[in-house]
Amino acid sequence: MLVGIDLGTTNSAVALWQDGAPQLVPNALGKMLTPSAVSLAKGGQTWVGEAALDRMATHPADTVTSFKRMIGTASTVTLAGTTLTPEDLSAMVLRSLADDVEAATGERPTEAVITVPAYFNERQRRATRRAGEIAGLEVRRLINEPTAAALAFGLADKGDREPFLVFDLGGGTFDVSIVEMFEGIVEVRASAGDNRLGGDDFDAALVKLVEPMLPAEALDRLPADRRRALLTLAAERTRRALSTAEEAEFSVVVAGEPLTARVTTEGFEEAAAGLVKRLRDPVIRALRDCHIDVKSLSDIVLVGGATRMPVVRKALTRMFGRFPNATVHPDHAVALGAAIQAGLLSGGEGLEEIRITDVAPFTLGVDTATRDVHGRFHEGIFAPIIERNSPVPISRMERFSTLADNQRQVTFAIYQGEAREVKKNVKLGELTVPVPPKPAGEVAIDVRFTYDTSGLLDIDVTVPATGTTRNLAIVDEDDRRTQKDIAESRKRLEKLKVHPRDEAENVALIARAERAYEGFTGAAREVIGQALTDFTGALEKQDPRIIAAAREGLTRLLDEIDAHSPL
Ligand code: AMP
């Protein structure tokens, strides 16, 4: 059985594609959301979900939440003497969700679609996949959370729509995606986010606000971890209360003594102002990356529990000049979308019509050295080849040259990330190619990156002077992909590797424009010449969307010229 799972920072949920619709599966307590919390006791007893969260106040040192923030890092936590990785902890949550499905349907799920923040890097994705495996689930696909939410939103209201923005603020991460739906294709145009921003940070801001209002002597009696756990839990309760009231009471009980403070909406808004400001950047980045004007967005779709905060909604209304759309259930949309994806993979009824296209969530490139105006070398500079938010599948080539005299080989280290210095990005692999010894700069090396929808990055390095080629396939999402699968994917990608300049329809259009150019003089010739330059410039960009627009423009111009032909 294939299930869809939203493995959230704060809460997780599982859903199935059943009877032509996605359906959430309740946990043992009858709730659709299971807190992503784990608690252990000496002797190995384990609690997951609500029960673990309950132990947070009494056993903070043996209980952990928000471990999704650590996934893909080497951090571990030790609970009641047992050391666990973030993957182990995530696997415990996944196993508990699988238990719930088994209890509800009588069948144990064996496969899953798991959602991840669009902004998760390659290591975080791999670790999530491993968590699934530890839990005994074959991870058929990882899909981006906002894409899943968009599927749930789009399916609720079938039909084509203008681009809309999915604003997903969860417990620990923030994601923005711009999505379009057209003739059954759900197309993610751009994604951006901040994987260190969520409801947890608003809790921390509230703790900072109220701590000075509480009697210090009482708080000082608590050990540091217990103090933090108590205050954070109380802050979360207060924050939720502030979602429906202008004022709320913050209260914690220390040694039987209740400590309270009143928090007003205004006070909270002031305390959270810095965090609210950070919501803007990813929105701007996403809009900029896909060249979509904020006015052409049809909806602002809210996803993630933390979008319930009025301070966030107010900020959004100000940012977009209209009210956000709250028609999808902010806590359920992602799991429902994962179930729709599960339905798509298993050929679920009523889903034949839908396809999803996504974008590369981060920039991929190589490590290079550059020489400044004084002739000094600067090493470790990132040279992007596939830029973030390029539609996938995509293939792009860049030309590099040797840096030293008589260099015998060139090594390209492959990185993913946005920083200018490679050391701040994630290294994916390395490829070395021999070059003929020549003076510096005289040997050209072509590096082609081809990236497909399931995360296979295929790298070809060619030295045109000798014809030497080296190839490396980096499998992003599926460690276990077999050589045969890789060969098949590569075959599929072969046609992508044709430079757009050499594609038949572009060659034909250039020939047609050149004929038109030859047939005119003066101003008309200049116009055609410029249009031709623009078109070849667009081809160099190797971006199918830009090329399609440029091709349309040039064809229109040539058609117009033909329409005015004297014959
Ligand atoms: P998620 O990761 O999407 O499950 O979102 C969980 C976050 O949403 C947590 O930080 C919760 O505190 C927050 N949250 C859930 N419900 C509310 C609410 N009614 N008001 C404010 N925050 C909420």
Side-chain angles (χ1 to χ4, degrees):
M1 184 201 289
L2 176 59
V3 293
I5 294 177
D6 167 10
L7 185 60
T9 311
T10 323
N11 292 302
S12 295
V14 58
L16 304 171
W17 182 260
Q18 213 170 35
D19 305 326
Q23 313 218 343
L24 287 158
V25 179
N27 62 23
L29 302 171
K31 296 200 175 157
M32 301 304 184
L33 299 181
T34 297
S36 305
V38 171
S39 189
L40 255 65
K42 292 226 158 44
Q45 192 174 357
T46 306
W47 291 263
V48 174
E50 207 75 53
L53 211 52
D54 287 343
R55 279 175 53 88
M56 183 60 138
T58 50
H59 298 80
D62 300 335
T63 309
V64 62
T65 58
S66 293
F67 38 83
K68 180 170 168 183
R69 284 186 169 194
M70 304 186 310
I71 207 156
T73 69
S75 329
T76 54
V77 288
T78 302
L79 307 177
T82 308
T83 300
L84 298 158
T85 64
E87 286 100 303
D88 296 332
L89 295 162
S90 304
M92 290 179 179
V93 174
L94 292 172
R95 197 171 294 140
S96 141
L97 297 173
D99 291 345
D100 294 334
V101 173
E102 189 174 2
T105 65
E107 195 184 332
R108 179 112 195 137
T110 49
E111 300 177 319
V113 170
I114 301 180
T115 61
V116 288
Y119 227 61
F120 255 21
N121 66 33
E122 126 104 15
R123 275 192 207 142
Q124 294 165 309
R125 284 168 197 259
R126 263 177 207 245
T128 305
R129 197 176 266 282
R130 257 198 316 275
E133 280 161 20
I134 299 171
L137 291 167
E138 187 194 335
V139 181
R140 288 281 299 276
R141 192 158 301 177
L142 294 176
I143 70 164
N144 292 335
E145 285 162 10
T147 310
L151 270 177
F153 178 66
L155 204 79
D157 182 6
K158 261 194 195 153
D160 297 345
R161 354 175 114 255
E162 301 287 303
F164 57 93
L165 185 142
V166 179
F167 186 96
D168 181 354
L169 186 65
T173 54
F174 172 44
D175 261 320
V176 174
S177 287
I178 296 171
V179 185
E180 234 170 330
M181 300 193 68
F182 185 68
E183 293 178 351
I185 299 176
V186 180
E187 185 179 9
V188 180
R189 297 287 307 271
S191 289
D194 185 336
N195 55 9
R196 307 231 145 253
L197 181 60
D200 294 355
D201 300 286
F202 288 80
D203 291 340
L206 191 57
V207 169
K208 214 161 146 203
L209 173 71
V210 296
E211 227 174 351
M213 302 181 196
L214 302 170
E217 326 74 75
L219 286 179
D220 288 346
R221 263 182 260 138
L222 293 170
D225 62 342
R226 201 163 135 68
R227 171 182 175 141
R228 191 158 25 89
L230 272 180
L231 291 175
T232 305
L233 283 172
E236 213 251 352
R237 278 196 302 273
T238 314
R239 203 162 54 71
R240 281 174 186 260
L242 281 173
S243 294
T244 48
E246 280 297 308
E247 275 193 30
E249 190 174 65
F250 179 98
S251 96
V252 281
V253 179
V254 177
E257 185 193 343
L259 313 179
T260 61
R262 286 215 74 73
V263 182
T264 62
T265 294
E266 269 160 31
F268 177 53
E269 280 180 3
E270 224 166 88
L275 297 172
V276 168
K277 229 190 245 152
R278 282 170 59 195
L279 298 171
R280 279 184 82 83
D281 272 358
V283 172
I284 293 170
R285 222 180 315 137
L287 285 167
R288 199 180 280 148
D289 281 359
C290 64
H291 311 289
I292 284 183
D293 181 47
V294 65
K295 288 196 209 75
S296 31
L297 294 174
S298 69
D299 284 285
I300 314 300
V301 180
L302 299 181
V303 183
T307 58
R308 289 213 178 84
M309 283 188 281
V311 55
V312 170
R313 294 197 177 187
K314 226 189 265 176
L316 282 174
T317 309
R318 259 200 316 271
M319 207 187 299
F320 293 103
R322 71 188 102 161
F323 292 111
N325 180 321
T327 50
V328 292
H329 193 302
D331 298 322
H332 297 171
V334 172
L336 292 173
I340 296 171
Q341 174 69 75
L344 282 166
L345 287 174
S346 49
E349 49 174 315
L351 283 175
E352 310 78 34
E353 311 272 283
I354 301 174
R355 272 196 301 139
I356 309 172
T357 72
D358 219 325
V359 286
F362 14 65
T363 302
L364 295 159
V366 293
D367 176 9
T368 55
T370 52
R371 213 189 272 270
D372 65 19
V373 283
H374 311 292
R376 273 192 302 261
F377 270 129
H378 294 261
E379 292 194 335
I381 305 298
F382 187 49
I385 295 186
I386 292 181
E387 302 216 277
R388 67 159 188 262
N389 287 325
S390 302
V392 291
I394 183 171
S395 182
R396 288 195 55 126
M397 194 188 81
E398 288 286 335
R399 176 160 284 188
F400 297 90
S401 51
T402 47
L403 276 171
D405 289 338
N406 297 320
Q407 199 171 330
R408 292 303 184 111
Q409 60 178 40
V410 182
T411 298
F412 290 95
I414 294 120
Y415 285 87
Q416 155 194 304
E418 308 306 323
R420 185 170 167 275
E421 290 175 72
V422 292
K423 64 171 188 267
K424 294 183 184 152
N425 294 328
V426 178
K427 186 170 176 182
L428 301 180
E430 215 172 74
L431 197 57
T432 299
V433 63
V435 290
K438 290 263 175 69
E442 282 199 7
V443 185
I445 308 115
D446 288 339
V447 179
R448 172 175 290 284
F449 273 31
T450 308
Y451 188 70
D452 81 351
T453 37
S454 48
L456 177 82
L457 175 63
D458 198 34
I459 299 143
D460 295 299
V461 175
T462 309
V463 183
T466 57
T468 312
T469 292
R470 291 287 182 274
N471 178 280
L472 176 69
I474 296 175
V475 181
D476 172 14
E477 289 185 356
D478 193 342
D479 280 337
R480 294 159 300 113
R481 210 200 286 235
T482 62
Q483 282 306 317
K484 181 168 151 279
D485 288 342
I486 293 176
E488 270 169 18
S489 287
R490 274 209 191 125
K491 211 184 298 153
R492 245 185 315 117
L493 295 178
E494 277 313 315
K495 66 174 188 308
L496 263 185
K497 294 184 183 176
V498 176
H499 195 286
R501 211 178 31 230
D502 302 325
E503 276 173 10
E505 70 181 313
N506 298 334
V507 171
L509 188 61
I510 290 172
R512 184 178 165 202
E514 281 173 346
R515 277 198 308 278
Y517 180 91
E518 287 164 18
F520 282 88
T521 55
R525 175 172 257 201
E526 246 172 66
V527 171
I528 300 166
Q530 185 59 51
L532 197 49
T533 309
D534 293 346
F535 182 61
T536 45
L539 294 181
E540 285 313 315
K541 290 212 154 54
Q542 302 173 55
D543 178 334
R545 218 190 301 263
I546 293 175
I547 295 168
R551 195 162 49 223
E552 202 186 307
L554 181 57
T555 308
R556 209 177 317 122
L557 174 73
L558 298 174
D559 287 350
E560 227 164 81
I561 290 170
D562 284 350
H564 290 91
S565 155
L567 285 179

